[in-house]
Amino acid sequence: MIKLNQLSDDDPLLDQSKLLYALEQTINYAEENGGIGLTQTKLFNRKFAHWGARNFNWPDYSEEKLLRVQKVLNEEDVPPVMVIHDVMSIAKWGRHTKGKFQLSKSVKALSAHRGQLFEALVQQ
């Protein structure tokens, strides 16, 4: 595996990563709301899909643009939400339990250090 240079938590390069920003926003959302609600098929619920489209600031996937096509947004309709769910599941940064996606202790610890979270994200 290639050894990457570690970035400090205040490195301005971290602000350019849309994926890191979306991941941090998702972690904050999950901590504030006691997890992320799931559908019966274990996808993130519509409430979170709408929230993600509104808050991720992802080019071409704003809530306004997506709602031009559909009245409600599911996880499949918001690609950044799908990507975040997949990354978090593959990295084992959360689990599906009792109708919610609960964060793991490891991602909670990583979220306090942006540089380490980015490094872990890149290695996934």
Side-chain angles (χ1 to χ4, degrees):
M1 185 179 294
I2 298 171
K3 180 67 176 151
L4 303 172
N5 293 335
Q6 264 197 325
L7 298 174
S8 65
D9 294 342
D10 60 349
D11 193 312
L13 289 173
L14 295 174
D15 296 332
Q16 296 180 19
S17 172
K18 297 286 185 190
L19 186 58
L20 178 64
Y21 178 77
L23 179 61
E24 290 174 326
Q25 294 299 312
T26 301
I27 291 168
N28 291 337
Y29 178 93
E31 287 180 337
E32 291 171 6
N33 295 287
I36 300 169
L38 298 172
T39 64
Q40 292 293 322
T41 56
K42 303 220 187 289
L43 298 174
F44 287 160
N45 64 15
R46 288 179 177 168
K47 179 181 175 186
F48 182 77
H50 278 270
W51 181 89
R54 190 176 327 113
N55 291 292
F56 285 172
N57 191 26
W58 202 289
D60 298 324
Y61 293 107
S62 69
E63 186 178 36
E64 177 188 338
K65 286 183 180 181
L66 293 170
L67 288 175
R68 288 181 193 164
V69 180
Q70 303 195 201
K71 286 187 175 187
V72 294
L73 299 175
N74 295 310
E75 181 178 328
E76 313 86 35
D77 303 323
V78 187
V81 172
M82 285 177 34
V83 169
I84 290 296
H85 192 175
D86 288 344
V87 166
M88 293 183 79
S89 296
I90 291 167
K92 296 186 179 172
W93 287 339
R95 61 192 177 286
H96 303 101
T97 56
K98 299 181 182 176
K100 287 200 170 195
F101 185 83
Q102 301 290 342
L103 298 178
S104 68
K105 290 178 184 176
S106 64
V107 79
K108 288 179 184 179
L110 280 173
S111 69
H113 306 285
R114 294 183 79 209
Q116 291 177 8
L117 180 61
F118 182 74
E119 183 178 347
L121 177 63
V122 170
Q123 291 180 3
Q124 293 304 316

